[in-house]
Amino acid sequence: MDKKLIGIDLGGTTAKIALLNKEGDITEKWTIKTNIEDNGSNIVQDIGNSLNQKLAELQVKSDEFYGIGMGTPGAVNFEKGTVKGAYNLNWVEEQNVSEDLGRITGLKVHLDNDANVAALGERWKGAGEGGANVVFVTLGTGVGGGIFAEGKILHGVRGAAGEIGHVTVVPENGYDCTCGKKGCLETIASATGIVRVAKDLAKDFSGKSKLRDAIINDEEVTAKLVFDFEKENDELAKLVVDKISFYLALALSHIGNMLNPEKIIIGGGVSAAGDALLKPVIAYFETMVFPAVRESTKISIATKGNDAGVIGAAWLALPNEEA
Ligand code: ZN
């Protein structure tokens, strides 16, 4: 009988856990709360207990699995299976996640960072359609990314490969970024960045606009609201979407020209805008890339949503000859 896989996607509020067959289809999935108290010292134990309990309930033994793959925030040493600097988990010091979870469950644990496992999930079972060269960009509270090139995920010398959110797109007078630089893609194309751009453009906008009215009246403005108004042909919202699309396309064009992937997939909460985002991004992208890239690198919207993390994590546990 074919062995199965376990995928875990650890986040600051919840850990998503799933059992999958080796084709990457989820057969069982559940969520537990992430307890970040006591420097996050209970997190790994909680996950291990929950997993052991579920396997006991289902009456499946751990040797029916190839192993566990797990995505976590923070700076991951994927060879050692450790992570540090995961501030939303209160993991400041280095944590031996693979070793600890392995001891609790009796399974081999493969660790990588959360953006990379989401990229792997979309690559394997989502919009990436199993391609060997796929780049994933996630537009959420921040902007993250993962690069799958020539069949493997790129880590770089310090695990910082694929930090697409920190590509400088505004070299002069850009917004301050949380990383300490200015003008990073994240300052414009994240959910918070889009709102920042909207508020800035509203200052010089004198035409009629519901978005401008909402900003002036101090109503809650979200990235979703900007796209909703854009669909109604709101003039200011159209300017905002045009501006963020330009800068997103600029960053993606560097990826396209450099790596020539078959797919660049846009995911994260902001990608719910769908064609309203995709169409202008593609239009700008095509003016910014080399002809061979224009013909072969396609941009599309992610399809796996919140499941991308557990699916991609599970892929890490797949033996090489099956991947
Ligand atoms: Zn930055």
Side-chain angles (χ1 to χ4, degrees):
M1 201 182 83
D2 278 338
K3 288 197 179 194
K4 297 187 275 277
L5 303 165
I6 297 169
I8 302 170
D9 182 13
L10 175 59
T13 13
T14 61
K16 299 181 190 73
I17 310 174
L19 310 184
L20 304 90
N21 62 23
K22 81 177 181 37
E23 284 73 41
D25 305 311
I26 295 173
T27 55
E28 197 77 41
K29 113 181 136 166
W30 69 103
T31 296
I32 65 167
K33 268 190 68 136
T34 306
N35 174 8
I36 61 167
E37 284 168 25
D38 305 321
N39 297 320
S41 59
N42 300 305
I43 294 173
V44 172
Q45 185 72 52
D46 288 352
I47 290 171
N49 290 349
S50 173
L51 195 50
N52 286 343
Q53 193 188 337
K54 180 67 84 177
L55 298 190
E57 271 171 33
L58 295 170
Q59 299 184 323
V60 285
K61 295 196 189 67
S62 60
D63 64 6
E64 292 175 38
F65 294 89
Y66 286 115
I68 298 172
M70 179 168 166
T72 169
V76 173
N77 182 322
F78 74 102
E79 280 165 337
K80 283 167 66 191
T82 61
V83 58
K84 64 177 175 181
Y87 301 103
N88 58 343
L89 304 174
N90 287 334
W91 282 354
V92 179
E93 301 299 325
E94 189 168 77
Q95 310 284 319
N96 290 309
V97 175
S98 290
E99 192 184 315
D100 292 349
L101 188 59
R103 195 179 52 244
I104 299 163
T105 60
L107 284 160
K108 184 159 173 50
V109 180
H110 308 258
L111 197 68
D112 212 316
N113 85 41
D114 47 6
N116 284 348
V117 301
L120 288 171
E122 274 299 333
R123 199 286 305 183
W124 189 23
K125 299 297 286 183
E129 295 166 353
N133 294 278
V134 173
V135 175
F136 181 62
V137 183
T138 171
L139 311 177
T141 320
V143 173
I147 297 169
F148 193 80
E150 321 253 297
K152 59 181 187 181
I153 200 88
L154 296 192
H155 293 98
V157 68
R158 281 281 297 274
E163 285 288 356
I164 294 154
H166 302 287
V167 170
T168 302
V169 289
V170 185
E172 280 179 56
N173 302 317
Y175 300 124
D176 291 332
C177 184
T178 51
C179 74
K181 295 203 296 125
K182 286 179 193 292
C184 296
L185 177 66
E186 177 167 299
T187 67
I188 289 177
S190 62
T192 41
I194 292 168
V195 173
R196 186 185 293 131
V197 170
K199 288 182 174 171
D200 247 16
L201 290 182
K203 287 177 197 156
D204 299 322
F205 188 83
S206 52
K208 203 166 138 355
S209 159
K210 282 192 198 167
L211 176 58
R212 180 175 175 271
D213 296 345
I215 291 167
I216 287 173
N217 295 331
D218 228 8
E219 289 166 27
E220 196 198 351
V221 176
T222 60
K224 182 181 181 302
L225 190 74
V226 171
F227 282 103
D228 287 347
F229 281 141
E230 196 264 351
K231 280 183 192 126
E232 296 173 18
N233 277 318
D234 184 283
E235 290 299 329
L236 175 61
K238 278 163 58 178
L239 287 178
V240 176
V241 172
D242 182 68
K243 184 164 179 168
I244 59 151
S245 299
F246 172 84
Y247 286 113
L248 179 56
L250 180 60
L252 299 188
S253 75
H254 298 329
I255 295 165
N257 286 326
M258 202 62 65
L259 298 170
N260 186 208
E262 49 214 278
K263 278 275 178 76
I264 299 176
I265 304 168
I266 304 173
V270 174
S271 71
D275 280 350
L277 176 69
L278 189 61
K279 283 186 174 164
V281 168
I282 290 174
Y284 278 123
F285 179 82
E286 290 187 341
T287 68
M288 296 168 173
V289 288
F290 185 71
V293 175
R294 191 183 311 133
E295 289 157 17
S296 54
T297 295
K298 301 295 168 205
I299 305 179
S300 57
I301 298 284
T303 60
K304 283 291 159 189
N306 286 332
D307 287 341
V310 288
I311 295 170
W315 185 85
L316 294 172
L318 207 56
N320 281 335
E321 64 273 18
E322 303 277 359

